Amino acid sequence: MSTPTRFRAAGDRAAARLRKRAEWAFTAAQRRAAHDRAYEQWITGALVPYRITRALDAAELYGPDVDVACGAQEPAVDEWEAGTRYPSFEQLLALAALTHQSPDSFIAREGDEDLDL
């Protein structure tokens, strides 16, 4: 005996909702894992100043508005870029959101020490 079409359609919609929830949960888990990795690296002092400069330049963000958006006072972001001040993790997250980067994109990677800046 076949199932009426309206019940099959309702089941298909429910299955689609479950698939979408599973995708969201997977994406959220990936973000949490990246966030945790970035925190572990940040806490060890692995933030690389030139990566901040590259991200800001790529997003064409300059001036005191960047400091305000990151929850810092002028000239904090300039000092982050110079390597004379270290942002809090919350400020790093704000910077990542502002520049549309992941927080771990500001962390040192293998080969960074070879760069002649």
Side-chain angles (χ1 to χ4, degrees), residues 5-19:
T5 306
R6 66 182 179 165
F7 294 120
R8 183 175 306 134
D12 290 345
R13 284 191 302 272
R17 280 193 303 272
L18 287 175
R19 279 192 302 276

Side-chain angles (χ1 to χ4, degrees):
M1 186 169 172
S2 71
T3 306
T5 306
R6 66 182 179 165
F7 294 120
R8 183 175 306 134
D12 290 345
R13 284 191 302 272
R17 280 193 303 272
L18 287 175
R19 279 192 302 276
K20 186 57 87 176
R21 283 185 184 170
E23 289 172 12
W24 288 337
F26 179 72
T27 301
Q30 284 181 317
R31 284 189 189 133
R32 277 192 303 276
H35 181 277
D36 292 346
R37 280 191 309 274
Y39 180 78
E40 290 300 320
Q41 293 294 317
W42 169 84
I43 205 163
T44 65
L47 197 67
V48 180
Y50 84 87
R51 289 186 179 278
I52 295 172
T53 303
R54 280 190 179 172
L56 291 170
D57 289 348
E60 297 181 354
L61 296 169
Y62 311 99
D65 292 338
V66 175
D67 295 88
V68 172
C70 291
Q73 292 182 342
E74 174 76 356
V77 175
D78 295 331
E79 293 171 349
W80 300 346
E81 291 181 87
T84 58
R85 183 185 279 187
Y86 204 72
S88 70
F89 192 66
E90 290 76 20
Q91 291 169 330
L92 176 63
L93 294 177
L95 178 65
L98 183 65
T99 58
H100 305 287
Q101 302 281 325
S102 67
D104 63 346
S105 66
F106 301 102
I107 304 302
R109 292 185 174 50
E110 190 174 322
D112 279 349
E113 62 276 356
D114 297 334
L115 295 174
D116 183 22
L117 300 174

